[in-house]
Amino acid sequence: MKKVSFAEFGGPDVLQLVDAEEPHPGPGQVRIAVRAAGVNPVDWRIREGQLQQVRPIELPAGVGLDASGVVDEVGEGVEGVEVGDHVFGEGSSTYAEFAVLSAWARMPEGLTFEEAAGYPSVVETALRIIRQVGVQPGQTLLASGASGGVGSAVLQIARDRGITVIGTAGAANQDYLRSLGAVATTYGEGWVERVRRLGRVDAALDLAGSGVIRELVELTGDPQKVVSIADLAAPELGVRFSGVAGSVPEALAEAAGLISRGKLHIPVEKSYALAEAAAAHVDSRAGHTRGRRVVVV
């Protein structure tokens, strides 16, 4: 089978499309014929070696955590899923023709494979950080860098829970944030004052790692009310860095429910072929994403 792999840490040029042996599921796992794989910032952070201290890997290594596809092998002890089922979930080395998933859910009706591949990690992350930051219904949450996949999920999940969200993004994404129910404003010079004019901020999320931790602490008045998923230096300022996933099966079940109720939709901004994985990483690292990027197999 074809798979994207890298044999050394580095820039996007280290990614290679190689021939590899097909993986097979162990107990509690399923294998899918991959139709699409989600492109996440953690993918290029791992490729660059940024996470070796917290998530060490051996080289050569595959790329990708999220995928959607058709179940074609079921591991020992797995119940409730059969060969031929359309699922989305999380596993390893998902930029490939076949991948093993350790967590999955059936795809909601009406969802395309490309759309489904964009949900697993971002919804798990959104649910986790909303919980960790402690924001409650009736309060206001500030999401810095809100137009990407996690931000898109945060805005919609928070709205469904009765939480007001102020979202910052570039000028081109203001209408997009508003379409997801956010009170939108631009980042850049003067953004703190623009947020202040919008009202009290009870909690804040750093989703883009753009060096705004001090300002988020200033706006909330308490580093315990700020969580970052993108700034590894956040703990130096007393702010929690959230990088360890919670229950992915529970997150997938909640995502499927939200999607089925019409409460969650994350658009796919751009799709790439397996051979274009390097370009997908370049674009993901550049930011300014509206929704999700996926690799199509």
Side-chain angles (χ1 to χ4, degrees):
M1 71 166 189
K2 294 292 186 182
K3 140 183 184 177
V4 176
S5 179
F6 62 103
E8 60 181 319
F9 296 114
D13 57 308
V14 302
L15 296 178
Q16 302 290 327
L17 186 60
V18 300
D19 290 310
E21 291 187 10
E22 294 183 7
H24 297 284
Q29 299 176 325
V30 300
R31 188 180 85 164
I32 61 170
V34 178
R35 295 292 183 263
V39 177
N40 296 301
V42 70
D43 299 342
W44 50 261
R45 289 183 186 275
I46 291 172
R47 187 208 73 225
E48 291 180 356
Q50 290 187 29
L51 303 183
Q52 274 300 91
Q53 296 296 321
V54 293
R55 188 184 292 185
I57 61 169
E58 294 184 5
L59 300 178
V63 186
L65 300 174
D66 294 349
S68 63
V70 182
V71 175
D72 77 337
E73 288 185 10
V74 177
E76 182 183 348
V78 173
E79 299 178 352
V81 65
E82 299 177 352
V83 170
D85 285 348
H86 293 189
V87 300
F88 67 130
E90 190 173 282
S92 60
S93 302
T94 57
Y95 294 22
E97 292 178 328
F98 295 94
V100 170
L101 301 183
S102 53
W104 62 89
R106 279 194 173 84
M107 284 171 45
E109 190 173 342
L111 206 62
T112 68
F113 284 115
E114 288 183 47
E115 290 171 332
Y119 284 94
S121 288
V122 299
V123 174
E124 186 283 319
T125 301
L127 290 166
R128 168 171 30 100
I129 60 180
I130 288 172
R131 181 182 70 253
Q132 290 174 341
V133 83
V135 64
Q136 300 297 316
Q139 293 187 322
T140 297
L141 174 67
L142 171 61
S144 175
S147 65
V150 174
S152 299
V154 163
L155 298 186
Q156 295 173 80
I157 293 168
R159 181 180 63 176
D160 189 55
R161 295 181 177 186
I163 298 164
T164 298
V165 184
I166 298 171
T168 69
N173 286 327
Q174 297 295 292
D175 286 343
Y176 173 68
L177 296 190
R178 294 187 187 102
S179 75
L180 300 183
V183 179
T185 191
T186 53
Y187 46 63
E189 187 176 351
W191 74 270
V192 172
E193 288 307 314
R194 288 194 292 277
V195 169
R196 278 206 177 99
R197 288 196 292 270
L198 294 173
R200 171 190 173 91
V201 174
D202 297 294
L205 300 173
D206 167 37
L207 307 179
S210 52
V212 296
I213 298 295
R214 293 183 188 277
E215 290 85 351
L216 297 181
V217 172
E218 179 186 338
L219 284 163
T220 60
D222 184 352
Q224 298 301 309
K225 295 180 179 178
V226 181
V227 170
S228 176
I229 61 167
D231 191 335
L232 294 171
E236 296 173 11
L237 297 173
V239 167
R240 180 173 187 165
F241 178 83
S242 184
V244 178
S247 172
V248 178
E250 288 181 10
L252 290 170
E254 187 157 352
L258 288 163
I259 294 164
S260 297
R261 292 193 292 116
K263 299 296 185 179
L264 179 63
H265 174 70
I266 305 177
V268 175
E269 180 176 53
K270 189 172 181 180
S271 300
Y272 306 78
L274 274 178
E276 299 172 319
H281 280 206
V282 169
D283 291 347
S284 174
R285 205 183 196 295
H288 311 295
T289 301
R290 181 182 300 181
R292 301 291 287 123
R293 300 179 187 277
V294 299
V295 171
V296 175
V297 181

